[in-house]
Amino acid sequence: MKLHNKILLGLVLGAGAGIVSKLVFGEAPELLWIVENVATPVGQVFLRMLFMIVVPLIFGSVTLGVASLGDLTRIGRIGGKAMGFFFLTTAFAAAIGLTLVNVIGPGRQLAPEVRTQLLEEYSGEATARVGGGAVFGVETFVNIVPRNPVDSAARGDMLGLIFFSLTFGIALTQLSKERAQPIMAVLEGLVDVVTRIIGYAMKIAPYGVAGLIFGVTVRFGAEVLQSLALYVITVMLGLAIQLFGVTGMIARFFVGIPYGRFFGKCRSLMVTAFSTSSSNASLPENIRTAEEQFAVPREIASFVLPLGATMNMNGTALFEGMTVLFLAQVFGVELSLTSQVIVIVMSVITAVGAAGVPGGSIPLLVLILETVGVPGEGIALILGVDRILDMSRTVPNVMGDQLTALVVARSEGAALRLDD
Ligand code: ASP
């Protein structure tokens, strides 16, 4: 059986086993034991293997990508196209989100007693997850330049690491051929080795995915889902429109990839994004998919995709816009058109700033809430369903990056593989 089918099977079996066990055994301690001692460890090993290679992958591939692009004008052009596309699709996604919540109005339907109960139940978790909160200002931009790239890498500050790698790659293009050659050879070797390790990680992906999804389904409280059903359905609908409408259609009409083939070729990528809930953890598979499935030139894939994993989050922006408006409806705060435009702008900015890790956007969401005058602690209302929404929004996030690589490669005249 092909690997991507095995991964898909892992997802289906893991989810099925989780749902059935939860129905049959409920909260039985034995079931929780299995989750803690079998499913979670297997899932964690897979997840950690992916995270383990993100730092060398970003450094190796961004540097090599930029250096192989050769000259500054080309780097600037490709970077500019990618950023422009990120910005447009993200803003559009946030606008889709706001429109849906305005029309469906899930926050107007939430019973006040459910609101009080959820607020009480999740306020502790909200404080823990949000931490000191996020600030936004001039420092946000200054902080992109790292003091110490090793420290950035260790803290998971991918933007800092990318900045360092970009600078390193640009400087490399300005050395003479003889001087640059040995470093290029080392970087190529590094990327090849990392690619091998990605292969190992993907070999265990079917089990890892099954373990992760089993844990999620067993632990998931159906009651919270019920009380927030309309909100969850609205968000899912928005994400589906973004993924299957906007992303799929752009791939079809601007890149020329038949609709079914685009999603077919990306199935292990989508399952990886869904089960890991992390753009960073999906980056290795994202690069592999671009190169192996669509023949995106390496220098474009390895430059555009790491940027995308950190900066381009369509699903997150859509979710943020929707959630802010949903909570505004719950708390009876009227958001004027201007405030809604502010929400869109802030959703785009915070989607760029959010880390590509599970729940990376939650602290930033509070920032938007407070900016437009919705109580920040309202975040507690949605935490009970955030895991499932996080998994779901990571899929359009990651697929938006893949799409950008394809669009940029196409516009640069690359010969993409559009057939099977
Ligand atoms: N989990 C998302 C990602 O990695 C970020 C978020 O929306 O929390 O893409």
Side-chain angles (χ1 to χ4, degrees), residues 60-72 74-75 162 165-173 184 298-300 302-304 307:
S61 63
V62 173
T63 311
L64 194 63
V66 169
S68 320
L69 287 174
D71 62 290
L72 269 180
R74 191 147 181 243
I75 299 168
I162 289 179
S165 312
L166 278 175
T167 318
F168 195 97
I170 291 173
L172 200 55
T173 60
M184 294 286 278
R298 182 176 254 195
E299 67 273 17
I300 294 183
S302 55
F303 175 36
V304 171
L307 274 183

Short mmCIF file of all heavy atoms in Angstrom, two decimals, residues 60-72 74-75 162 165-173 184 298-300 302-304 307:
data_model
loop_
_atom_site.label_atom_id
_atom_site.label_comp_id
_atom_site.label_asym_id
_atom_site.label_seq_id
_atom_site.Cartn_x
_atom_site.Cartn_y
_atom_site.Cartn_z
N GLY A 60 18.91 25.28 6.50
CA GLY A 60 19.48 24.72 5.27
C GLY A 60 18.71 25.15 4.04
O GLY A 60 19.28 25.65 3.08
N SER A 61 17.39 25.01 4.10
CA SER A 61 16.65 25.23 2.87
C SER A 61 16.49 26.71 2.53
O SER A 61 16.61 27.09 1.38
CB SER A 61 15.31 24.49 2.88
OG SER A 61 14.53 25.00 3.89
N VAL A 62 16.25 27.55 3.53
CA VAL A 62 16.12 28.98 3.20
C VAL A 62 17.44 29.52 2.67
O VAL A 62 17.48 30.20 1.63
CB VAL A 62 15.64 29.80 4.43
CG1 VAL A 62 15.68 31.29 4.13
CG2 VAL A 62 14.23 29.39 4.83
N THR A 63 18.54 29.18 3.34
CA THR A 63 19.84 29.69 2.91
C THR A 63 20.15 29.22 1.49
O THR A 63 20.52 30.00 0.61
CB THR A 63 20.94 29.18 3.86
OG1 THR A 63 20.52 29.43 5.18
CG2 THR A 63 22.25 29.87 3.61
N LEU A 64 19.96 27.91 1.28
CA LEU A 64 20.27 27.34 -0.02
C LEU A 64 19.34 27.90 -1.09
O LEU A 64 19.76 28.23 -2.19
CB LEU A 64 20.13 25.82 0.07
CG LEU A 64 20.71 25.02 -1.07
CD1 LEU A 64 22.22 25.23 -1.13
CD2 LEU A 64 20.42 23.53 -0.88
N GLY A 65 18.05 28.00 -0.73
CA GLY A 65 17.07 28.52 -1.67
C GLY A 65 17.46 29.92 -2.13
O GLY A 65 17.55 30.20 -3.31
N VAL A 66 17.75 30.78 -1.15
CA VAL A 66 18.10 32.16 -1.47
C VAL A 66 19.40 32.20 -2.27
O VAL A 66 19.50 32.90 -3.29
CB VAL A 66 18.23 32.98 -0.16
CG1 VAL A 66 18.86 34.33 -0.43
CG2 VAL A 66 16.87 33.15 0.46
N ALA A 67 20.39 31.43 -1.84
CA ALA A 67 21.68 31.45 -2.53
C ALA A 67 21.53 30.92 -3.95
O ALA A 67 22.16 31.43 -4.88
CB ALA A 67 22.72 30.65 -1.75
N SER A 68 20.67 29.90 -4.15
CA SER A 68 20.52 29.36 -5.50
C SER A 68 19.75 30.31 -6.41
O SER A 68 19.86 30.23 -7.62
CB SER A 68 19.77 28.02 -5.50
OG SER A 68 20.17 27.24 -4.44
N LEU A 69 18.92 31.17 -5.81
CA LEU A 69 18.20 32.13 -6.66
C LEU A 69 19.19 33.10 -7.30
O LEU A 69 18.91 33.71 -8.32
CB LEU A 69 17.16 32.89 -5.84
CG LEU A 69 15.93 32.08 -5.45
CD1 LEU A 69 15.03 32.89 -4.53
CD2 LEU A 69 15.15 31.66 -6.68
N GLY A 70 20.33 33.21 -6.66
CA GLY A 70 21.43 33.90 -7.32
C GLY A 70 21.52 35.38 -7.09
O GLY A 70 22.37 35.84 -6.36
N ASP A 71 20.59 36.14 -7.65
CA ASP A 71 20.79 37.58 -7.51
C ASP A 71 19.66 38.23 -6.71
O ASP A 71 18.55 37.70 -6.61
CB ASP A 71 20.93 38.26 -8.87
CG ASP A 71 19.68 38.09 -9.69
OD1 ASP A 71 19.41 36.95 -10.14
OD2 ASP A 71 18.94 39.06 -9.87
N LEU A 72 20.01 39.34 -6.16
CA LEU A 72 19.10 40.04 -5.25
C LEU A 72 17.76 40.41 -5.88
O LEU A 72 16.72 40.33 -5.23
CB LEU A 72 19.77 41.32 -4.75
CG LEU A 72 20.56 41.16 -3.45
CD1 LEU A 72 21.17 42.48 -3.04
CD2 LEU A 72 19.65 40.64 -2.34
N ARG A 74 16.12 38.79 -8.17
CA ARG A 74 15.26 37.61 -8.25
C ARG A 74 14.73 37.25 -6.86
O ARG A 74 13.54 36.94 -6.71
CB ARG A 74 16.09 36.45 -8.85
CG ARG A 74 15.24 35.29 -9.22
CD ARG A 74 15.71 34.50 -10.42
NE ARG A 74 14.74 33.44 -10.62
CZ ARG A 74 15.02 32.14 -10.51
NH1 ARG A 74 16.25 31.74 -10.27
NH2 ARG A 74 14.07 31.24 -10.67
N ILE A 75 15.60 37.33 -5.85
CA ILE A 75 15.17 37.03 -4.48
C ILE A 75 14.05 37.98 -4.08
O ILE A 75 13.01 37.58 -3.57
CB ILE A 75 16.35 37.17 -3.49
CG1 ILE A 75 17.46 36.19 -3.84
CG2 ILE A 75 15.89 36.96 -2.05
CD1 ILE A 75 18.77 36.45 -3.13
N ILE A 162 14.47 32.61 10.29
CA ILE A 162 14.34 32.85 8.85
C ILE A 162 15.11 34.12 8.46
O ILE A 162 15.81 34.15 7.46
CB ILE A 162 12.85 32.99 8.46
CG1 ILE A 162 12.18 31.62 8.55
CG2 ILE A 162 12.69 33.56 7.06
CD1 ILE A 162 10.72 31.60 8.21
N SER A 165 18.68 33.27 8.28
CA SER A 165 18.98 32.42 7.12
C SER A 165 18.93 33.21 5.81
O SER A 165 19.76 33.02 4.93
CB SER A 165 18.00 31.25 7.04
OG SER A 165 17.88 30.63 8.29
N LEU A 166 17.94 34.11 5.72
CA LEU A 166 17.84 34.96 4.53
C LEU A 166 19.10 35.80 4.35
O LEU A 166 19.68 35.86 3.27
CB LEU A 166 16.65 35.93 4.67
CG LEU A 166 15.26 35.44 4.33
CD1 LEU A 166 14.23 36.51 4.64
CD2 LEU A 166 15.19 35.08 2.85
N THR A 167 19.50 36.43 5.46
CA THR A 167 20.68 37.29 5.41
C THR A 167 21.91 36.47 5.01
O THR A 167 22.72 36.88 4.19
CB THR A 167 20.93 37.94 6.78
OG1 THR A 167 19.68 38.34 7.30
CG2 THR A 167 21.85 39.13 6.69
N PHE A 168 22.02 35.29 5.62
CA PHE A 168 23.15 34.40 5.34
C PHE A 168 23.16 34.03 3.85
O PHE A 168 24.20 34.09 3.19
CB PHE A 168 22.98 33.15 6.21
CG PHE A 168 24.22 32.30 6.31
CD1 PHE A 168 25.07 32.42 7.40
CD2 PHE A 168 24.52 31.36 5.34
CE1 PHE A 168 26.21 31.63 7.51
CE2 PHE A 168 25.64 30.56 5.44
CZ PHE A 168 26.49 30.70 6.53
N GLY A 169 21.99 33.69 3.33
CA GLY A 169 21.89 33.29 1.92
C GLY A 169 22.23 34.44 0.98
O GLY A 169 22.95 34.26 -0.01
N ILE A 170 21.72 35.64 1.33
CA ILE A 170 21.99 36.80 0.47
C ILE A 170 23.50 37.08 0.46
O ILE A 170 24.10 37.29 -0.60
CB ILE A 170 21.21 38.04 0.97
CG1 ILE A 170 19.71 37.81 0.74
CG2 ILE A 170 21.67 39.31 0.27
CD1 ILE A 170 18.81 38.86 1.33
N ALA A 171 24.11 37.03 1.65
CA ALA A 171 25.55 37.30 1.72
C ALA A 171 26.32 36.26 0.90
O ALA A 171 27.32 36.57 0.25
CB ALA A 171 26.00 37.29 3.17
N LEU A 172 25.83 35.04 0.94
CA LEU A 172 26.50 33.96 0.21
C LEU A 172 26.51 34.23 -1.30
O LEU A 172 27.48 33.91 -1.99
CB LEU A 172 25.75 32.65 0.51
CG LEU A 172 26.47 31.34 0.28
CD1 LEU A 172 27.78 31.30 1.04
CD2 LEU A 172 25.58 30.17 0.75
N THR A 173 25.43 34.84 -1.79
CA THR A 173 25.39 35.11 -3.24
C THR A 173 26.44 36.15 -3.64
O THR A 173 26.76 36.29 -4.81
CB THR A 173 24.02 35.68 -3.70
OG1 THR A 173 23.80 36.91 -3.01
CG2 THR A 173 22.88 34.73 -3.46
N MET A 184 28.06 26.00 -0.14
CA MET A 184 26.87 25.52 -0.86
C MET A 184 26.83 23.98 -0.81
O MET A 184 25.77 23.38 -0.61
CB MET A 184 26.90 25.95 -2.32
CG MET A 184 26.78 27.43 -2.55
SD MET A 184 25.12 28.01 -2.27
CE MET A 184 24.36 27.61 -3.83
N ARG A 298 13.46 23.44 -6.47
CA ARG A 298 13.88 23.42 -5.07
C ARG A 298 14.09 24.81 -4.50
O ARG A 298 13.69 25.10 -3.37
CB ARG A 298 15.16 22.59 -4.94
CG ARG A 298 15.63 22.46 -3.52
CD ARG A 298 16.83 21.57 -3.41
NE ARG A 298 16.44 20.29 -2.83
CZ ARG A 298 17.32 19.42 -2.35
NH1 ARG A 298 18.60 19.65 -2.43
NH2 ARG A 298 16.91 18.30 -1.80
N GLU A 299 14.73 25.70 -5.29
CA GLU A 299 15.05 27.01 -4.70
C GLU A 299 13.78 27.81 -4.38
O GLU A 299 13.75 28.60 -3.44
CB GLU A 299 16.02 27.81 -5.58
CG GLU A 299 15.50 28.26 -6.93
CD GLU A 299 15.69 27.19 -8.02
OE1 GLU A 299 15.92 26.01 -7.66
OE2 GLU A 299 15.56 27.52 -9.20
N ILE A 300 12.71 27.56 -5.13
CA ILE A 300 11.46 28.27 -4.84
C ILE A 300 10.76 27.64 -3.64
O ILE A 300 10.37 28.31 -2.69
CB ILE A 300 10.53 28.30 -6.07
CG1 ILE A 300 11.21 29.14 -7.17
CG2 ILE A 300 9.16 28.87 -5.72
CD1 ILE A 300 10.39 29.32 -8.42
N SER A 302 11.99 25.86 -1.25
CA SER A 302 12.69 25.97 0.02
C SER A 302 12.80 27.42 0.49
O SER A 302 13.19 27.67 1.61
CB SER A 302 14.06 25.30 -0.06
OG SER A 302 14.77 25.84 -1.12
N PHE A 303 12.44 28.34 -0.35
CA PHE A 303 12.42 29.74 0.08
C PHE A 303 11.00 30.12 0.51
O PHE A 303 10.76 30.67 1.59
CB PHE A 303 12.91 30.60 -1.10
CG PHE A 303 12.85 32.08 -0.88
CD1 PHE A 303 13.12 32.65 0.36
CD2 PHE A 303 12.55 32.93 -1.94
CE1 PHE A 303 13.08 34.01 0.54
CE2 PHE A 303 12.51 34.31 -1.77
CZ PHE A 303 12.77 34.85 -0.53
N VAL A 304 10.02 29.78 -0.33
CA VAL A 304 8.65 30.23 -0.10
C VAL A 304 7.97 29.46 1.06
O VAL A 304 7.28 30.06 1.89
CB VAL A 304 7.81 30.09 -1.40
CG1 VAL A 304 6.35 30.35 -1.14
CG2 VAL A 304 8.33 31.04 -2.47
N LEU A 307 8.85 30.46 4.73
CA LEU A 307 8.22 31.76 4.99
C LEU A 307 6.74 31.57 5.23
O LEU A 307 6.16 32.14 6.17
CB LEU A 307 8.37 32.66 3.75
CG LEU A 307 9.61 33.50 3.57
CD1 LEU A 307 9.48 34.35 2.32
CD2 LEU A 307 9.79 34.42 4.77
#
